[in-house]
Amino acid sequence: MTAPQSPRPSEWSAADNQPKSLAATYIKGMAMGAADIVPGVSGGTIALIAGIYERLINALGSIGPSLWQVFRAEGGLRGLLAVWRQVDATFLLFLLLGIASSFTTLAGMIKHLLDHQPLLIWSFFFGLVVATVFLLLTEIKRWSIGRMLLFLVGLISAVVISSLPIMTTTPSLPYLFFAGAVAICAMILPGVSGSFILLLLGAYDAVLEAVDTMNLSILLTVIAGMATGLLLFTRALKWLLAHYYQATLALLTGFIAGSLVKVWPWKVDALGTLDSDAIYNVMPWQYPAGAQWATTIGLMLLGAVLVSLLSWWGNRHA
């Protein structure tokens, strides 16, 4: 089973916006949203495995001042439709609807599991990420010294980011704008979790609570920051994917492999006990509640099977 590669922009046709294809896009968006809620797991990883990553980057990278020229060339309603097609807006709309659905329906449940059953949810995502790394490694057609170095750069970068101390602060709205701009760049990069960046910046709890309570002032501020960061970041990534796809894939796979440090299931606090500050990795046999091999390995296998099925499905519906 290999991870599907997104089609080039010229290969996207009207068939990609048929109801069946859009339903698949919506479901993939839900999977991305569920992953983004968990600190340490990236929605970009899901997009890459599901075969929509390059299409997503190209669509986002098409948003910019040049759209005014596209609109002026036709004018009126025709111009608006031309802009809509230029940015692949139907695809983006259904993907965002899927992500939003996950955030509104799953945020509370995932937060509850992280607080009360961390070993179970981390085990599931650990298996998911391990399987993802193996799938993507098979996509590197020919390894060279340069690609191996890029893989190591991605891996080391993700490990360093995962090891940074978490900031404790009461975020203001300008700070939340900044946090959103930084986090969205991480969400787009497979292996670098946007929610973990929010956690590092001390904004994760505020954002998750705002989603639960529908605090529009916080939500709109974070969304504005995300939109700003997205427009500034995706152009560079779009160019890299267009010109150096295999090298960029090696770098992104390194990011995902490095994120395994963050999603390691067996964590304790500084005193070696279990509480909300359990962020330090230990060996399974050092875990206070026991390794729970049957449960943890079973959930890892479940995560690996699901990501393999998503990859297979992405090949059929990319």
Side-chain angles (χ1 to χ4, degrees), residues 19-298:
K20 185 177 180 181
S21 178
L22 292 177
T25 299
Y26 175 82
I27 294 171
K28 292 173 184 179
M30 288 194 70
M32 287 178 63
D36 272 325
I37 294 170
V38 180
V41 184
S42 169
T45 300
I46 302 299
L48 195 57
I49 282 294
I52 58 172
Y53 187 74
E54 195 173 356
R55 184 177 182 184
L56 172 62
I57 296 302
N58 276 284
L60 295 173
S62 299
I63 301 172
S66 61
L67 292 178
W68 176 244
Q69 299 299 325
V70 175
F71 173 75
R72 288 188 63 187
E74 298 283 348
L77 182 59
R78 287 178 178 271
L80 290 175
L81 291 175
V83 169
W84 185 270
R85 290 190 297 269
Q86 180 73 18
V87 301
D88 205 3
T90 304
F91 163 76
L92 287 179
L93 175 62
F94 277 80
L95 193 68
L96 288 173
L97 286 173
I99 293 171
S101 296
S102 273
F103 271 66
T104 54
T105 59
L106 298 179
M109 182 186 71
I110 291 178
K111 186 176 187 300
H112 175 82
L113 289 173
L114 285 170
D115 290 340
H116 298 94
Q117 298 290 343
L119 181 62
L120 303 187
I121 197 165
W122 287 127
S123 295
F124 171 78
F125 280 105
F126 187 83
L128 183 150
V129 173
V130 169
T132 298
V133 172
F134 278 105
L135 285 169
L136 294 179
L137 286 174
T138 65
E139 287 295 297
I140 310 297
K141 303 304 181 186
R142 184 175 60 84
W143 283 96
S144 62
I145 297 297
R147 289 174 186 174
M148 293 172 77
L149 288 174
L150 285 169
F151 175 84
L152 289 174
V153 167
L155 187 150
I156 293 169
S157 299
V159 170
V160 169
I161 291 171
S162 298
S163 305
L164 291 173
I166 295 174
M167 294 177 60
T168 54
T169 179
T170 302
S172 62
L173 289 181
Y175 185 82
L176 287 171
F177 179 92
F178 166 77
V182 175
I184 194 63
C185 296
M187 286 181 185
I188 292 298
L189 279 176
V192 183
S193 165
S195 52
F196 180 60
I197 296 299
L198 289 175
L199 194 64
L200 286 177
L201 295 174
Y204 180 74
D205 287 337
V207 173
L208 206 59
E209 184 179 350
V211 172
D212 277 338
T213 61
M214 292 303 294
N215 187 324
L216 292 181
S217 62
I218 290 179
L219 289 177
L220 292 176
T221 299
V222 174
I223 290 171
M226 287 180 169
T228 302
L230 203 60
L231 295 178
L232 295 175
F233 178 71
T234 50
R235 288 181 174 276
L237 196 51
K238 177 181 177 180
W239 185 87
L240 287 172
L241 286 169
H243 294 86
Y244 302 101
Y245 183 84
Q246 289 285 304
T248 305
L249 185 61
L251 177 67
L252 298 179
T253 305
F255 276 125
I256 297 171
S259 72
L260 287 169
V261 172
K262 176 58 186 172
V263 295
W264 179 254
W266 296 277
K267 303 176 188 294
V268 298
D269 64 11
L271 299 176
T273 59
L274 303 176
D275 64 9
S276 59
D277 295 320
I279 59 173
Y280 300 98
N281 294 340
V282 296
M283 300 307 293
W285 50 86
Q286 296 174 318
Y287 194 68
Q292 302 180 41
W293 290 114
T295 302
T296 54
I297 292 176

